Amino acid sequence: MAMVYVTRRMHFNAAHRLHSDALTEDENAQTYGACNNPMGHGHNYELEITVKGTPDPVTGMVIDLKDLKDLVQHVIIDKIDHKHLNYDVDFMRGIVPTAENIVVALWQQLRDKIPAGELYELKLFETPRNIAYYRGE
Amino acid sequence: MAMVYVTRRMHFNAAHRLHSDALTEDENAQTYGACNNPMGHGHNYELEITVKGTPDPVTGMVIDLKDLKDLVQHVIIDKIDHKHLNYDVDFMRGIVPTAENIVVALWQQLRDKIPAGELYELKLFETPRNIAYYRGE
Amino acid sequence: MAMVYVTRRMHFNAAHRLHSDALTEDENAQTYGACNNPMGHGHNYELEITVKGTPDPVTGMVIDLKDLKDLVQHVIIDKIDHKHLNYDVDFMRGIVPTAENIVVALWQQLRDKIPAGELYELKLFETPRNIAYYRGE
Amino acid sequence: MAMVYVTRRMHFNAAHRLHSDALTEDENAQTYGACNNPMGHGHNYELEITVKGTPDPVTGMVIDLKDLKDLVQHVIIDKIDHKHLNYDVDFMRGIVPTAENIVVALWQQLRDKIPAGELYELKLFETPRNIAYYRGE
Amino acid sequence: MAMVYVTRRMHFNAAHRLHSDALTEDENAQTYGACNNPMGHGHNYELEITVKGTPDPVTGMVIDLKDLKDLVQHVIIDKIDHKHLNYDVDFMRGIVPTAENIVVALWQQLRDKIPAGELYELKLFETPRNIAYYRGE
Amino acid sequence: MAMVYVTRRMHFNAAHRLHSDALTEDENAQTYGACNNPMGHGHNYELEITVKGTPDPVTGMVIDLKDLKDLVQHVIIDKIDHKHLNYDVDFMRGIVPTAENIVVALWQQLRDKIPAGELYELKLFETPRNIAYYRGE
């Protein structure tokens, strides 16, 4: 029984502002620099969802990647694509939208809904050079 | 005398909202769809600046790409990176920030400041799949 | 009135076999090499559609890229994605599916259906290293 | 003694059809959707081969990546490039060519032939957005 | 008779040093900065060769891209790959190896040897962000 | 307390020559092939630095990626960018500059200087197809 990891890569565009209510204005400016700009800025985020499991002996699939795509579209992408992460997303309220916090929040939305196999890793590309990933540890 | 085209690719992150003051709320929503979201969304923009000219016989360069990079950083990137294009950028005021309008506005900022050769093309990648370019025609 | 070029990049997966009915088996094998394999092989094709025009003064768009995407999806992608180009596509019948022939055939399907601006270029990536483009010349 | 992982990325183009002999025609169509198209479709596959080991103290290499490239070319790529995975490949007979099944089958071809170090991971990109990897677990 | 442009993308790795014998040491240092480092530095160059022509009515090809690949491999790549452009390449002697000068020198090596169609453009990526192209103008 | 991995991707251009003082000229030529060219060749290296840790409850960051970028720029990139790895870099003296040896040497420069979290992995792309990574094992 082989353990195989399958990954679907998806994308969304969103605005965000790095700003913590637990910090003063000066501390926010110093901590987040240009990312603290009051009107926000934005990114073309890429999200890689990896599910691990043993391929079904009949279908040869760990999970139908089309089903995984549709699930993530419904549970995550539809709620954050073309949105402002500080204001428009219920499950992000009160959370500073760093890549680290976003990827953990997305994990919590998704982990119990995977119909086959097990969620192994979420990897979020804020830009091609700034990346965060989470494995539920 | 060879005519050579040199390109520098740069990037910036910005938020924007597609919304025209010449349209009603309903028309805006219908015209721009998700891009009309009131709080805006954002992108990792990539900008390719192409200058044409004949290489200097001594240096072998049309234009020093380091100088071009510094110029574009100063004239454009510093003013739009980590900003909201609808609110934070002087030369974008009153302009709907579509890729088409942005690339023409950037051309106007840059065309008279190229110290060697001639600005040939600006190419703006809003995403890797949505692109606009302008050649001053 | 600025002339701006806007590009939408789309993709499709298809099988093909390079084989000409005007050549003998030996000539086909010699001409096309591994691409003449009887059962065919396949590619992740990428297609860049570029439309030129002047941005609408109200909307700031040459053409709504969402509309262009939907049009190309309907007119082209739905007919060739996950298909065998030698057998499954009406407008490719009798045409050797080289990148050159495909891109000209796609141009003929698309050129009269662009609702705003004018079709300027179709660029087909058979692989990231093998590319053909056509401008209606 | 440092444990270092070295990766060589290679590519091949192939056609495939997702179809299981253990399923009825209707079940196949429902399970695999467009991927069940009778004439097949195809991909530009990318394959990453990762070998782990300690660099040789004299040469500084875990394995000569040129040797690894030649080995994988001979053992895998020559047998599947420009082929139809359902019909043309001996070691794929009777196997539904999902990314999961392909990557496990390639592992079995390769694992005992690595001349230095140990095969750690095979990662198969069916498209840039659909990926499967296997670590021999 | 359609005019189609076909492109083959190839790569080579080389070292170079930007240094002009017509400049003093100080002028060289000031002109080229870090690129003037005496021991040189290097790049993974990418080269796109574009040939324009009408597809052959029988084969559907402007030029066999496999033939173009072999030609460029023989005429250009074998002479510059894994070489130092200042010292190891006959046709680069006495030429400051800027991207501009390299692309013009490569054009001169290649333009008269294209067996079908006509050389239209050479595009040289020194890095993904520094690019020069030449069309024989 | 979530364990999150954050990655910053950086780049540098350098020349190198694969040559071991422990081998004869013939052995060097046979071992390293074209990479043994006396004048060296070069690459656009990409380096991914991954730090693991728990996001700070106030800032939401494992480590400020801007700080990580500045640190790596200072400790590594400034010393190897636009340099010849065989001659210009103190901490590479006497080390054959294979990707394996470089990535271990860079780890040793960096591991004790990470101000928050813990260095988890360094991944070095010599080319997009030749990669080495190290996790301190």
Side-chain angles (χ1 to χ4, degrees), chain B residues 32 98 100 130-131 133 137, chain C residues 5 7-9 59-60 62:
Chain B
Y32 298 120
T98 57
E100 292 94 320
N130 283 354
I131 306 161
Y133 55 100
E137 302 167 315
Chain C
Y5 303 74
T7 301
R8 172 70 194 178
R9 187 171 177 131
T59 66
V62 169

Side-chain angles (χ1 to χ4, degrees), chain B residues 48-122:
Chain B
E48 289 187 350
I49 306 100
T50 299
V51 172
K52 66 183 283 189
T54 55
D56 181 285
V58 170
T59 66
M61 297 189 289
V62 169
I63 182 174
D64 186 333
L65 283 178
K66 179 69 166 57
D67 291 346
L68 181 59
K69 176 189 174 189
D70 291 345
L71 173 70
V72 176
Q73 183 71 35
H74 178 68
V75 173
I76 290 180
I77 304 295
D78 285 347
K79 296 176 181 165
I80 58 181
D81 187 34
H82 283 76
K83 297 292 167 61
H84 196 303
L85 299 178
N86 298 58
Y87 305 113
D88 294 330
V89 183
D90 279 350
F91 62 78
M92 291 296 298
R93 289 204 189 284
I95 297 173
V96 183
T98 57
E100 292 94 320
N101 281 350
I102 298 171
V103 80
V104 173
L106 297 184
W107 177 280
Q108 290 164 349
Q109 296 301 306
L110 200 56
R111 73 173 154 190
D112 294 334
K113 304 193 180 69
I114 305 293
E118 181 188 348
L119 189 58
Y120 171 68
E121 183 180 279
L122 283 188

Side-chain angles (χ1 to χ4, degrees), chain B residues 18 31-32 35 98-100 124 126-127 129-132, chain C residues 5-10 49-51 61-73:
Chain B
L18 297 190
T31 302
Y32 298 120
C35 300
T98 57
E100 292 94 320
L124 182 70
E126 192 179 76
T127 73
R129 298 194 173 275
N130 283 354
I131 306 161
Chain C
Y5 303 74
V6 292
T7 301
R8 172 70 194 178
R9 187 171 177 131
M10 302 186 72
I49 306 100
T50 300
V51 171
M61 299 188 288
V62 169
I63 182 175
D64 186 332
L65 283 178
K66 178 68 167 56
D67 291 347
L68 182 59
K69 176 189 174 189
D70 292 345
L71 172 70
V72 176
Q73 183 71 35

Side-chain angles (χ1 to χ4, degrees), chain A residues 10-14 42-46 81-82 126 128, chain B residues 9-14 16 18 35 41-48 85 97-100 102 123-133, chain C residues 5-10 46 48 65-66 69, chain D residues 129:
Chain A
M10 303 186 71
H11 67 94
F12 61 96
N13 307 319
H43 298 291
N44 304 330
Y45 290 93
E46 294 274 328
D81 187 33
H82 283 78
E126 191 179 76
Chain B
R9 186 173 178 130
M10 302 187 72
H11 66 96
F12 59 96
N13 306 319
H16 75 153
L18 297 190
C35 300
H41 61 289
H43 297 290
N44 303 330
Y45 290 93
E46 295 275 327
L47 178 67
E48 289 187 350
L85 299 178
T98 57
E100 292 94 320
I102 298 171
K123 192 170 193 175
L124 182 70
F125 297 73
E126 192 179 76
T127 73
R129 298 194 173 275
N130 283 354
I131 306 161
Y133 55 100
Chain C
Y5 303 74
V6 292
T7 301
R8 172 70 194 178
R9 187 171 177 131
M10 302 186 72
E46 294 274 327
E48 289 188 351
L65 283 178
K66 178 68 167 56
K69 176 189 174 189
Chain D
R129 296 193 173 276

Side-chain angles (χ1 to χ4, degrees), chain C residues 95-96 98-105 132-134 137, chain E residues 1-6 51-64 116-117:
Chain C
I95 297 174
V96 184
T98 59
E100 292 94 320
N101 281 349
I102 298 171
V103 79
V104 173
Y133 55 98
Y134 183 52
E137 300 167 317
Chain E
M1 294 290 284
M3 177 65 65
V4 182
Y5 303 74
V6 292
V51 172
K52 65 183 283 188
T54 54
D56 181 285
V58 170
T59 67
M61 298 189 289
V62 169
I63 183 174
D64 186 332

